[in-house]
Amino acid sequence: MRDSSRLTRRAALGLAAAAVPLASATPASADPAAVSVPAATIGGERLARTGIQVRGASNVPRLTARAWLIADQESGEVLASYNAHRRLAPASTLKMLFADTVLKKFERTERHTVTDADLAGIPAGSSLVGVKPGITYTVEQLWLGVFLRSGNDAVHVLSHLNGGVDATVAEMQAKAADLQALDTHVVSPDGFDHKGQLSSAYDLTLFGRHGLHNTDFRAYCATRTADFPAGGKKTFQIQNTDRLLTGAWGMETYDGLIGVKNGFTSHAGNTFTGAATRDGRTLLVTVMHPKSGGNGVYKETAALLDWGFASAQRAKSVGTLVDPLSEGGATATPTPKHAKAAGGAPASTAKGGSPWGLVGGAGGAVALLAGGAFALRRRGRKGSDDTAAAAEGRRPR
């Protein structure tokens, strides 16, 4: 096991700084459909606005998604967005944050024999890769189970290796605060439907961008198929559920696609963060909750990528993907008091917010740093309605 290395003093101070605007922000309304814009907006004030945000380019695809964002991987410039900070259920795209938090802690070749305790508490209806008690797996195999099959069983085993589910949730929340992903509230490491588990197109894009800087993360999310242990010397093949990568279910593969992570639950619907490279430029796209199921999230992602590559020279930045505080990232700048949404609508009427507001997003991380008492308990759930997923031949993720 690698040295998990405690947060440096610089990182700790950075996390505390991230919470400064949270403490002064007006608490969000209990009505999730009417959440005020925070006093400071991560990434720039235009990203606080509702509606499509774009400058210098035209013909932005008209999508059905409730939120989306497209950005340049290297520079972090946001080329266009729609409800970038709208808080929505993330489904398994939250596993990108799980990987950002845990991936560096264990050597790929480290081996672990799974116990019943490692698999306890996995929500009913979860997507599974097929981890079984008594079988020994390498850490690499478990991560392939996470990235390819979105296996909640593999997530729980890795979480137990990391000190337990609750400890992992607390670390994920602290990591989100360091990345300045303040729309994100973590309840479980697997992204499954739990009350209050929320993120945004902006935050998910941050997670993907940060992850792609890691060689292992990049390799796992780009893997199409792998052999997975079945006990003894037997294995079975697993395939990546990212349809833009594999071309499954009638979806054409996308030229230059790298990854990154897809998700589906009956509550969240479809979510996807994808990255592709053409002519030396890498673009990141996040699409959340399109109206159509099946291939809809992939088609809308492909449309945004096509637009981004075609408009690369004309599109002007409407915001930026900020750097982590622990790497010198600047904190949020104040949002103008009367920021206007697209079409002149007040930005303060953005829908889809969390009753936790920003306080739930990073306040827990600050509590963890200040007193070590931050521990989120997993909430139970009655199970998901898998009808839509079953009809399309897939499990919820």
Side-chain angles (χ1 to χ4, degrees):
M1 178 173 177
R2 295 181 187 173
D3 182 4
S4 59
S5 66
R6 297 178 181 177
L7 288 171
T8 63
R9 184 172 183 272
R10 178 186 178 193
L13 291 173
L15 288 177
V20 171
L22 306 184
S24 60
T26 302
S29 167
D31 177 6
V35 176
S36 298
V37 172
T41 299
I42 300 296
E45 64 90 8
R46 286 195 65 156
L47 300 185
R49 304 178 186 180
T50 58
I52 295 176
Q53 303 302 314
V54 65
R55 293 174 58 231
S58 58
N59 300 320
V60 179
R62 296 290 173 173
L63 309 181
T64 67
R66 297 171 69 189
W68 55 259
L69 183 145
I70 178 168
D72 185 281
Q73 163 73 8
E74 183 175 355
S75 69
E77 289 186 344
V78 177
L79 305 182
S81 70
Y82 177 74
N83 298 339
H85 285 289
R86 184 173 186 175
R87 301 178 189 106
L88 299 165
S92 280
T93 45
L94 194 65
K95 289 184 173 76
M96 293 187 294
L97 176 60
F98 173 69
D100 289 343
T101 305
V102 179
L103 187 58
K104 292 182 180 180
K105 293 190 174 187
F106 304 98
E107 298 289 349
R108 294 166 64 108
T109 55
E110 186 172 338
R111 299 170 67 83
H112 175 70
T113 301
V114 173
T115 66
D116 289 327
D118 292 335
L119 300 174
I122 298 173
S126 289
S127 56
L128 305 171
V129 65
V131 176
K132 301 295 182 185
I135 298 179
T136 300
Y137 301 86
T138 65
V139 165
E140 178 180 14
Q141 289 166 339
L142 291 170
W143 279 116
L144 287 169
V146 172
F147 277 91
L148 272 65
R149 298 305 302 174
S150 210
N152 288 1
D153 45 359
V155 169
H156 277 249
V157 173
L158 288 165
S159 295
H160 280 280
L161 285 173
N162 189 50
V165 170
D166 291 341
T168 299
V169 166
E171 287 186 29
M172 288 172 66
Q173 194 69 68
K175 185 68 173 180
D178 179 47
L179 295 175
Q180 304 198 65
L182 304 187
D183 301 322
T184 297
H185 183 264
V186 185
V187 180
S188 69
D190 48 36
F192 198 76
D193 285 344
H194 292 275
K195 182 180 179 181
Q197 183 133 277
L198 299 165
S199 192
S200 67
Y202 183 86
D203 286 9
L204 293 177
T205 311
L206 281 181
F207 302 154
R209 185 186 187 217
H210 184 77
L212 289 174
H213 290 152
N214 179 279
T215 302
D216 287 344
F217 183 109
R218 195 180 184 101
Y220 288 140
C221 74
T223 301
R224 289 175 169 80
T225 61
D227 292 328
F228 198 77
K233 296 183 179 181
K234 296 181 180 180
T235 63
F236 59 94
Q237 189 181 82
I238 57 175
Q239 183 182 51
N240 201 312
T241 54
D242 178 350
R243 300 180 192 180
L244 281 183
L245 187 69
T246 65
W249 295 91
M251 190 70 209
E252 292 185 7
T253 57
Y254 193 85
D255 183 32
L257 193 82
I258 299 170
V260 180
K261 190 71 190 76
N262 57 330
F264 173 84
T265 66
S266 55
H267 175 60
N270 294 97
T271 59
F272 183 57
T273 295
T277 300
R278 286 187 185 175
D279 300 323
R281 186 177 196 183
T282 299
L283 296 181
L284 274 165
V285 167
T286 294
V287 173
M288 301 186 75
H289 302 210
K291 290 182 179 179
S292 58
N295 288 332
V297 73
Y298 303 105
K299 291 179 179 179
E300 297 196 7
T301 297
L304 276 176
L305 286 170
D306 285 345
W307 175 84
F309 288 121
S311 305
Q313 303 305 318
R314 301 189 305 277
K316 307 296 183 182
S317 173
V318 296
T320 186
L321 299 177
V322 295
D323 293 327
L325 291 168
S326 58
E327 297 176 14
T331 56
T333 55
T335 298
K337 189 172 183 180
H338 300 294
K340 297 292 183 179
S348 60
T349 58
K351 294 182 179 181
S354 160
W356 290 267
L358 289 178
V359 175
V366 176
L368 171 66
L369 293 170
F374 178 69
L376 292 173
R377 303 301 302 177
R378 288 170 292 154
R379 295 186 173 95
R381 176 172 152 72
K382 295 181 180 179
S384 64
D385 177 6
D386 302 332
T387 305
E392 292 168 9
R394 69 191 192 287
R395 289 180 177 177
R397 296 182 289 280

